[in-house]
Amino acid sequence: MTGLTNEQVQERIAEGKVNANENPNTRTYKQIIRENTLTFFNFLNLVLLVLVLFVRSYKNSMFMGIILINTVIGIIQEVRAKKTIDKLAILTESKTVVLREGKKWNISTEKLVIDDLIFLKTGDQVPADVKILEGSVEVNESLLTGESDNLAKNPGDELFSGSFVTSGEACCQVIHVGKDNYASQITSEAKEFKRHNSELRNSLNAILKVISIIIVPLGAMLFYKQYYIVGDTLKDSVVNMVAAVLGMIPEGLVLLTSVALTLGSMVLATKKTLVQELYCIETLARVDTLCLDKTGTITEGTMKVEDVQLYESGQDSGEKTIDTDAETEAGSDSMEDATSEADKKKLQEMEHIMENLMSVLHDQNATADALRKRFPAKSDLKLVHAIPFSSDRKYSGAVFEEKGTYLIGAAQFLFPEGNEELLAHCSTYAEEGFRILILAHSDEETESTKLPAGLEPVGLFLITDVIREEAPDTLAFFDSQGVDLKVISGDDPVTVSAIAKKAGLKNADHYIDATTITTPEEMQRAVAECSVFGRVTPQQKKQMVQALQAQKHTVAMTGDGVNDVLALKEADCSIAMAAGSDAAKNIANVVLLDSNFGAMPHIVNQGRRVVNNIRSAASMFLIKTIFSVLLSLITIFFGDAYPFEPIQMSLISACAVGIPTFLLTQENNYDKIDHTFLRHVFMNAFPAAVTITGCVFTIMLVCQNVYHSNTMLNTACVLVTGWNYMAALRTVYSPLNTYRKVIIYGMQFVFFGGAVILQNLLTLGSLEFGMIILVFLLMTFSPVVIEAITSWIRKGYEKSLDKDEEDMGVIGKFLKRVQK
């Protein structure tokens, strides 16, 4: 076979028969521009602009300047992030080995064309629908069907894109590409799986949904009241209605959230971390349980054969060993250490068998690499058939003519009915942190992958994992943050426990053999009580994640192999190593490009930074929304005129909300977060919103009954509202550090300076003596009121945490319902 020629490839590309991905990792520039401009609130702002221009109140159209600036900033930030992430995505791009013009090439899966010949091996994700020409594999089609069973595929069988190879290797011919197969759906399906629940996204959507429902009818009622009942001019009615609606719109909240998440992903990019799902940064920050795949996460993913031993029934540990250091002449020196000539021959025979096994087994994993390095491949025995490694079977091997069947694997899986003496022998080494593999032999030539009759242990291989240098510090960080750590592995639980203890895991001695877990109830109990799990199958990893989630935990999962995909897909946040399989990288929310587990604390801190800053910013936006809604209702039922004009609301929004929240969102706030986003937003927003409403209502009553001046009403309301908003900034962002003081007091100076300098533009006038006294009193006592209400609410919140609903009081019950 020579594969396609370059001419044939170009012909197929010209005909569109190429495996182009229609669902890229990031949005296109067109999508970014469209999604930042064509929004409900932008459309509403456009309608308001048309209305103020229609009544020729041109100065009150300046609010569109802020909207345009917000939109442009959002587009620029997302474009910057797209460029950064696209560059990183190239590093994790799926590659496929293809045969063209008689040579093998490693190309992007998107460059495959119809009839290409490709080579698949363990860990690969099938890039397009193919037909097997040579070889045999086992595949898992869980991404397509939801079923996790491994299916055997032989020459003539078809493989569907999106499935992944769990064992074996094969040469295949591409039969479908692009939209004709599953390849174009791999990314989109993966994204669907990754769109796990996000409290931040859900909370913001809830706020925007409520505002979207009430904003139009309130605006219409306000216009009706002023134009038809009070008898204001069309211009005044429209201007006042626009001012009220503008106050209700949290125009910068969505932008601020998007920018904060985008900047967070860009910061992580500098740490060689690719974020494939923006909101997963927030999810990981909330994680209280982290499931760690031992190999490739705590350990480097590389192994070394430390020792090789013969096994005979009744022998003591440590007897009949051979030094297997690759740097020494293992073959000669080890034989001299053997206790007898018979043992020398057995050791030589075992090495001979292993060398032949290494020539016919092409498993791609750390254990196989360690064995291959210790036993260089040699082929002088006639192969009947090979048994590739499977994560379900936990063993591999081969059948040689006149030699019988030789298998390599864990004792529990090679001897499922139990070999107490062998298991006890292995456990003595497992307790020291060794992974024990058994070479077993049977004279029977098995015709399938099942265990043959008469299987007996021949020798033991003592293998060690290399622990990552950064693992102890990373584990210590999560422990200090109250995150429960679960180490999961397919290896012997005693061995995994010993390695976890070396890496610094607390409660590493609380381990369990997953083969003993047979019911959902036992699984629930195991995940609650144990920290280390050994002999875990891929299906059990998924079940563990589900069991933890059923216990109300937010679960993150790390992994790098095809055996981790089911659990990665199920977890609230999934992290894959770039050195891992394509299947793991495609399904993960986050990919560690240098496979550095030490980057995990940075991801958590970025998530906390985003959530904490957005929570504070959302409170400031919600203050404006709440008091605008309340003032609209008061005006509809009690007032004669809405007390603000659009340009005045623009000044308040810019100086008290937009600019300070944007600058304060850049802070590094790494405080721990919980599941009370909406509750905290309300607790921060409600006191200031109610106080501002009360102050403005007081001014409205005085102006309507004493001074009868809309200009004086506007001026007094702008001054008091701006002052209270600054007080709210100090409360929401307490305690104040130097940076916060500079921002808040700087904005206070800009606000009052702008009110003086732009007095005419803002339609502000002078105040009579009585109104000056009222404004002074309100500005003096309103911050005290804000603090008092805030303190009352926080006490109610703390009481709601400590007591049952019957005892927590009115405010506690209300806050509990807000959170729900």
Side-chain angles (χ1 to χ4, degrees):
M1 294 187 295
T2 61
L4 299 177
T5 63
N6 286 334
E7 291 77 12
Q8 291 173 320
V9 171
Q10 293 304 319
E11 287 176 5
R12 285 161 173 75
I13 292 176
E15 294 172 359
K17 298 178 179 179
V18 64
N19 201 45
N21 182 11
E22 297 178 358
N23 297 282
N25 280 330
T26 57
R27 292 181 293 176
T28 64
Y29 294 112
K30 183 178 179 181
Q31 288 175 318
I32 290 174
I33 294 173
R34 184 176 65 245
E35 293 180 17
N36 276 277
T37 55
L38 303 181
T39 67
F40 170 75
F41 289 120
N42 278 356
F43 174 75
L44 191 58
N45 280 311
L46 187 61
V47 173
L48 297 178
L49 174 64
V50 171
L51 290 174
V52 294
L53 292 178
F54 175 74
V55 297
R56 298 185 179 183
S57 181
Y58 301 117
K59 67 177 183 179
N60 283 308
S61 65
M62 293 180 66
F63 66 87
M64 279 305 296
I66 298 175
I67 305 303
L68 291 174
I69 291 172
N70 284 346
T71 302
V72 171
I73 290 174
I75 292 173
I76 291 174
Q77 294 288 10
E78 288 207 40
V79 168
R80 287 178 58 200
K82 171 183 169 57
K83 290 180 178 178
T84 302
I85 293 173
D86 282 348
K87 289 178 182 177
L88 293 178
I90 293 174
L91 301 177
T92 60
E93 186 179 48
S94 297
K95 301 285 187 178
T96 300
V97 178
V98 62
L99 183 66
R100 289 179 179 174
E101 295 195 326
K103 296 181 180 179
K104 290 184 178 180
W105 306 87
N106 204 25
I107 68 171
S108 167
T109 58
E110 295 186 17
K111 296 180 180 179
L112 292 175
V113 298
I114 282 283
D115 298 326
D116 256 333
L117 299 183
I118 65 173
F119 296 88
L120 298 174
K121 64 182 185 303
T122 302
D124 288 344
Q125 190 157 31
V126 181
D129 290 355
V130 297
K131 181 173 66 176
I132 298 179
L133 301 181
E134 294 180 358
S136 60
V137 294
E138 289 187 8
V139 296
N140 186 305
E141 297 180 348
S142 62
L143 294 188
L144 309 177
T145 65
E147 300 296 330
S148 60
D149 295 335
N150 288 333
L151 305 175
K153 301 287 185 176
N154 299 301
D157 291 339
E158 293 184 5
L159 307 181
F160 298 104
S161 66
S163 56
F164 50 91
V165 181
T166 57
S167 67
E169 56 183 30
C171 174
C172 309
Q173 182 179 31
V174 176
I175 57 176
H176 296 136
V177 291
K179 63 181 181 181
D180 294 328
N181 62 26
Y182 286 101
S184 61
Q185 300 175 20
I186 292 176
T187 303
S188 61
E189 287 189 24
K191 295 299 184 225
E192 285 178 15
F193 288 125
K194 286 181 282 196
R195 288 197 181 279
H196 297 296
N197 184 49
S198 165
E199 183 176 339
L200 175 60
R201 179 172 53 202
N202 294 343
S203 298
L204 293 176
N205 286 343
I207 293 172
L208 296 177
K209 183 178 180 180
V210 172
I211 295 171
S212 300
I213 292 172
I214 67 175
I215 197 167
V216 174
L218 274 181
M221 290 169 64
L222 188 62
F223 174 80
Y224 180 85
K225 167 70 181 291
Q226 296 204 214
Y227 185 68
Y228 289 101
I229 298 178
V230 177
D232 281 350
T233 64
L234 177 64
K235 179 179 179 179
D236 289 342
S237 300
V238 167
V239 168
N240 288 340
M241 182 270 290
V242 169
V245 173
L246 281 176
M248 298 179 212
I249 299 175
E251 68 278 347
L253 182 56
V254 176
L255 166 73
L256 199 68
T257 303
S258 177
V259 169
L261 289 169
T262 300
L263 290 178
S265 67
M266 292 180 66
V267 170
L268 290 175
T270 64
K271 304 291 184 182
K272 296 185 178 180
T273 301
L274 174 61
V275 177
Q276 301 196 103
E277 164 94 16
L278 213 54
Y279 279 93
C280 75
I281 303 175
E282 173 241 347
T283 305
L284 187 56
R286 298 186 189 280
V287 162
D288 57 28
T289 305
L290 177 60
C291 297
L292 304 171
D293 178 50
K294 174 183 70 67
T295 306
T297 302
I298 293 180
T299 64
E300 292 183 356
T302 58
M303 294 184 175
K304 180 182 178 182
V305 179
E306 291 287 353
D307 199 8
V308 177
Q309 297 186 7
L310 289 175
Y311 178 79
E312 293 180 3
S313 180
Q315 78 172 53
D316 294 328
S317 298
E319 293 184 359
K320 302 176 183 176
T321 68
I322 55 176
D323 180 10
T324 61
D325 188 350
E327 303 299 325
T328 65
E329 296 180 0
S332 59
D333 294 344
S334 61
M335 299 307 159
E336 293 177 4
D337 294 336
T339 57
S340 67
E341 288 297 322
D343 290 334
K344 291 180 182 180
K345 290 181 180 180
K346 290 179 181 178
L347 287 168
Q348 288 176 332
E349 177 65 16
M350 188 164 70
E351 293 225 2
H352 181 226
I353 293 296
M354 286 300 300
E355 290 168 349
N356 276 271
L357 282 172
M358 293 302 99
S359 71
V360 299
L361 295 176
H362 304 291
D363 303 325
Q364 300 294 320
N365 54 58
T367 305
D369 292 341
L371 291 172
R372 201 169 286 117
K373 183 176 180 180
R374 170 60 187 86
F375 302 103
K378 179 180 179 181
S379 180
D380 58 6
L381 296 178
K382 188 174 181 179
L383 177 69
V384 177
H385 75 87
I387 303 171
F389 178 80
S390 164
S391 56
D392 286 335
R393 288 193 302 272
K394 301 286 187 184
Y395 61 80
S396 60
V399 179
F400 296 110
E401 192 173 284
E402 298 181 358
K403 289 286 186 179
T405 302
Y406 282 92
L407 299 176
I408 310 170
Q412 287 90 335
F413 292 92
L414 290 177
F415 303 96
E417 296 182 359
N419 185 323
E420 297 301 327
E421 185 179 342
L422 175 63
L423 294 175
H425 188 70
C426 292
S427 67
T428 59
Y429 293 111
E431 290 172 359
E432 299 174 16
F434 290 106
R435 180 183 180 188
I436 313 300
L437 288 183
I438 307 297
L439 175 65
H441 173 254
S442 171
D443 291 329
E444 178 184 308
E445 294 185 1
T446 181
E447 297 179 355
S448 64
T449 60
K450 295 181 179 180
L451 295 172
L455 195 65
E456 294 291 338
V458 174
L460 287 75
F461 306 110
L462 277 60
I463 302 174
T464 56
D465 290 276
V466 181
I467 296 175
R468 288 184 177 276
E469 183 179 350
E470 68 276 5
D473 289 340
T474 306
L475 295 182
F477 167 80
F478 282 109
D479 180 68
S480 69
Q481 300 302 308
V483 177
D484 190 16
L485 298 172
K486 308 287 186 184
V487 177
I488 302 173
S489 176
D491 296 340
D492 184 282
V494 179
T495 304
V496 181
S497 173
I499 292 173
K501 186 176 294 184
K502 288 181 183 178
L505 178 73
K506 288 187 177 180
N507 301 320
D509 54 340
H510 294 179
Y511 60 85
I512 189 171
D513 188 331
T515 58
T516 64
I517 302 174
T518 57
T519 66
E521 291 74 22
E522 290 177 351
M523 180 64 75
Q524 291 281 349
R525 186 166 57 253
V527 297
E529 298 174 355
C530 300
S531 297
V532 175
F533 301 81
R535 303 298 181 206
V536 184
T537 65
Q539 187 64 32
Q540 283 181 315
K541 288 187 179 183
K542 174 182 175 181
Q543 292 169 354
M544 286 179 184
V545 171
Q546 291 174 326
L548 287 165
Q549 290 171 331
Q551 295 173 8
K552 306 303 180 183
H553 293 293
T554 302
V555 184
M557 173 76 192
T558 68
D560 64 347
V562 294
N563 60 321
D564 301 317
V565 169
L566 296 176
L568 289 172
K569 183 178 69 176
E570 199 67 32
D572 296 298
C573 185
S574 51
I575 304 101
M577 306 296 172
S581 67
D582 289 341
K585 288 184 290 186
N586 280 336
I587 203 67
N589 302 125
V590 176
V591 180
L592 304 182
L593 296 178
D594 56 357
S595 299
N596 182 9
F597 182 51
M600 293 288 288
H602 297 296
I603 304 174
V604 172
N605 283 334
Q606 280 304 311
R608 290 177 176 177
R609 175 178 175 271
V610 168
V611 175
N612 285 324
N613 289 334
I614 291 177
R615 188 168 66 183
S616 298
S619 299
M620 299 307 299
F621 282 101
L622 204 60
I623 289 172
K624 183 167 67 77
T625 299
I626 293 174
F627 88 70
S628 294
V629 170
L630 293 177
L631 283 179
S632 297
L633 292 171
I634 288 173
T635 304
I636 291 170
F637 293 105
F638 304 105
D640 292 334
Y642 192 76
F644 296 100
E645 290 188 5
I647 193 170
Q648 296 165 353
M649 288 303 302
S650 296
L651 176 67
I652 294 172
S653 296
C655 295
V657 187
I659 297 174
T661 54
F662 180 79
L663 295 174
L664 292 169
T665 302
Q666 313 307 312
E667 278 193 303
N668 292 328
N669 185 349
Y670 300 145
D671 295 339
K672 291 176 67 174
I673 60 177
D674 52 27
H675 296 276
T676 57
F677 183 88
L678 270 180
R679 181 182 293 184
H680 275 88
V681 169
F682 177 82
M683 285 170 56
N684 287 330
F686 182 77
V690 170
T691 303
I692 291 173
T693 304
C695 290
V696 173
F697 185 44
T698 301
I699 295 172
M700 288 173 65
L701 291 177
V702 173
C703 281
Q704 287 178 190
N705 296 299
V706 179
Y707 295 106
H708 308 288
S709 170
N710 282 341
T711 300
M712 193 180 298
L713 170 67
N714 292 155
T715 303
C717 288
V718 168
L719 293 176
V720 171
T721 300
W723 178 265
N724 283 332
Y725 236 125
M726 298 304 167
L729 272 172
R730 293 193 295 271
T731 301
V732 170
Y733 286 95
S734 65
L736 298 181
N737 53 32
T738 302
Y739 178 74
R740 292 179 177 182
K741 288 179 181 178
V742 170
I743 298 299
I744 294 172
Y745 292 122
M747 284 297 101
Q748 193 166 352
F749 176 79
V750 171
F751 172 78
F752 287 106
V756 173
I757 296 172
L758 303 175
Q759 182 176 349
N760 293 331
L761 180 65
L762 295 170
T763 320
L764 300 178
S766 59
L767 300 177
E768 294 191 13
F769 181 75
M771 184 58 72
I772 292 175
I773 297 299
L774 177 62
V775 168
F776 175 77
L777 290 174
L778 291 175
M779 292 174 69
T780 300
F781 292 105
S782 55
V784 178
V785 175
I786 292 175
E787 288 290 342
I789 298 176
T790 301
S791 177
W792 176 59
I793 290 178
R794 286 177 178 170
K795 285 181 180 178
Y797 170 56
E798 292 170 359
K799 196 172 183 181
S800 72
L801 294 177
D802 300 331
K803 295 187 177 183
D804 295 333
E805 186 166 340
E806 290 76 11
D807 302 323
M808 66 178 63
V810 175
I811 189 65
K813 293 178 182 179
F814 178 72
L815 287 172
K816 190 169 184 178
R817 282 160 176 74
V818 168
Q819 179 59 27
K820 289 181 179 179

